[in-house]
């Protein structure tokens, strides 16, 4: 694969390139039926026009980088954790009050919920590590939505508290950068490195393919269209000129691999 200089492009510059996809000739390239959340569209990408495939790949690759860059810092994680802990204490106190209700059926439902949804004396889960809190929160939400606990939640009116826990858990998981199916979030620095490699690989590959097609397309409107599609890529490289890199990093340019940022210590403090 040709090396065009994408190893010198910064993460912010890649992220900003998403705007280029909605301007000029790229704006007319529609990827609506392919750009689905699962990134496995029903419409076959294999049968899509090349510009559609290029735009889809660039958009998804940049989205991955944006997700990695959006992983929370240690301070931000502490704030997300504080809300998660607060939602747990609120549920604990609510169910404690419900357990003193004058109606026996109401009291029984509250006692069952406390036993199923809370740990220890009721707030033990607030001392878990971040990943364990995410697991616990998703477990609470899942079992509260199923029988027999769903009826108890309705009986005591705990739905609002479960909704708050669901939102706090989702926010904490997102802050950790923890995707579906992951037992533990990868360190932020590792996620950024991996997504930068993906960006450089994708941009190199697309740029090389456009160059090849231009070389083998006669002068005329089709060649001009390809050149217009390539123009934002060239401009991106011009805005991010080569700079001195260690020899080991220079060797990565041909593969599109990213120079590695300094290692980051992941937040592992308990909640």
């Amino acid at each position: 694969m040709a090396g065009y200089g994408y190893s010198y492009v910064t993460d912010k510059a890649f992220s900003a390139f998403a705007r280029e996809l909605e301007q000029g000739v790229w704006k007319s390239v529609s990827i609506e039926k392919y750009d689905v959340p699962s990134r496995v569209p029903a419409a076959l990408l294999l049968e899509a026009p090349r510009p559609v495939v290029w735009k889809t790949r660039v958009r998804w690759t940049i989205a991955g980088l944006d997700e990695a860059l959006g992983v929370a810092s240690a301070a931000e994680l502490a704030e997300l954790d504080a809300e998660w802990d607060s939602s747990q204490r609120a549920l604990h106190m609510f169910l404690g009050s419900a357990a003193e209700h004058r109606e026996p059926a109401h009291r029984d439902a509250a006692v069952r919920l406390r036993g199923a949804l809370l740990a220890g004396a009721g707030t033990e889960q607030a001392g878990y590590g971040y990943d364990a809190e995410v697991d616990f929160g998703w477990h609470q939400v899942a079992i509260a939505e199923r029988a027999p606990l769903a009826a108890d939640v309705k009986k005591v009116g705990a739905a609002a508290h479960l909704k708050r826990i669901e939102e706090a858990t989702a926010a904490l998981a997102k802050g950790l950068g923890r995707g579906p199916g992951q037992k533990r979030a990868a360190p932020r620095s590792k996620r950024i490195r991996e997504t930068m490699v993906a960006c450089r690989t994708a941009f190199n590959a697309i740029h090389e393919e456009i160059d090849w097609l231009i070389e083998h397309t006669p002068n005329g409107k089709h060649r001009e269209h390809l050149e217009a599609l390539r123009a934002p890529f060239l401009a991106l490289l011009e805005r991010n000129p080569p700079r001195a890199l260690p020899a080991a990093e220079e060797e990565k340019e041909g593969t599109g691999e990213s120079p590695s940022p300094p290692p980051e210590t992941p937040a592992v403090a308990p909640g």
Side-chain angles (χ1 to χ4, degrees):
M1 180 184 295
Y4 291 95
Y6 289 104
S7 288
Y8 303 103
V9 177
T10 67
D11 51 11
K12 302 300 188 297
F14 274 126
S15 180
F17 191 85
R19 290 178 56 85
E20 302 287 351
L21 300 177
E22 304 307 323
Q23 301 180 47
V25 68
W26 280 105
K27 185 176 182 179
S28 63
V29 178
S30 175
I31 63 172
E32 184 177 354
K33 68 178 182 179
Y34 300 96
D35 191 17
V36 296
S38 68
R39 297 180 185 173
V40 184
L44 290 178
L45 279 166
L46 182 65
E47 298 175 354
R50 298 309 301 159
V52 170
V53 175
W54 297 334
K55 184 172 180 176
T56 302
R57 184 177 181 182
V58 169
R59 174 167 290 180
W60 289 352
T61 305
I62 292 174
L65 174 61
D66 286 344
E67 290 167 5
L69 292 171
V71 173
S73 65
E76 291 168 331
L77 282 173
E79 291 183 7
L80 295 171
D81 174 65
E83 165 57 18
W84 194 91
D85 291 349
S86 179
S87 70
Q88 296 293 323
R89 289 192 296 269
L91 178 63
H92 165 63
M93 290 186 284
F94 173 81
L95 293 178
S97 176
E100 301 299 329
H101 199 276
R102 67 179 63 184
E103 181 186 338
H106 196 107
R107 293 198 300 268
D108 291 344
V111 169
R112 284 192 295 270
L113 288 173
R114 289 188 68 182
L117 298 178
L118 304 177
T123 58
E124 179 182 297
Q125 65 274 19
Y128 293 169
Y130 294 151
D131 279 295
E133 287 183 345
V134 170
D135 291 338
F136 193 91
W138 289 140
H139 172 71
Q140 288 174 303
V141 171
I143 64 174
E145 292 177 345
R146 300 195 300 263
L149 293 184
D152 290 336
V153 169
K154 183 176 182 180
K155 178 68 176 178
V156 304
H161 289 281
L162 270 299
K163 181 63 175 176
R164 182 184 176 188
I165 286 173
E166 181 179 10
E167 292 173 350
T169 301
L172 183 58
K174 182 178 180 181
L176 287 169
R178 180 169 152 179
Q182 289 183 308
K183 294 182 179 180
R184 184 173 296 276
R188 183 173 186 268
S189 58
K190 181 180 179 181
R191 286 171 54 83
I192 293 175
R193 281 197 300 271
E194 290 175 346
T195 53
M196 285 291 281
V197 168
C199 280
R200 287 177 165 122
T201 300
F203 276 67
N204 262 315
I206 293 168
H207 194 151
E208 182 179 36
E209 188 170 358
I210 295 175
D211 273 358
W212 188 89
L213 287 172
I214 289 173
E215 181 181 352
H216 298 283
T217 300
N219 291 331
K221 64 178 183 179
H222 295 299
R223 185 183 180 113
E224 291 171 0
H225 181 68
L226 287 168
E227 290 172 342
L229 290 171
R230 183 183 61 177
F233 289 81
L234 295 175
L236 176 64
L237 293 175
E238 290 178 5
R239 292 193 300 271
N240 295 266
R243 57 191 181 279
L245 285 178
E249 300 292 359
E250 289 181 353
E251 293 176 0
K252 297 178 179 180
E253 169 59 23
T255 63
E257 189 174 349
S258 167
S260 304
E264 176 180 299
T265 301
V268 293

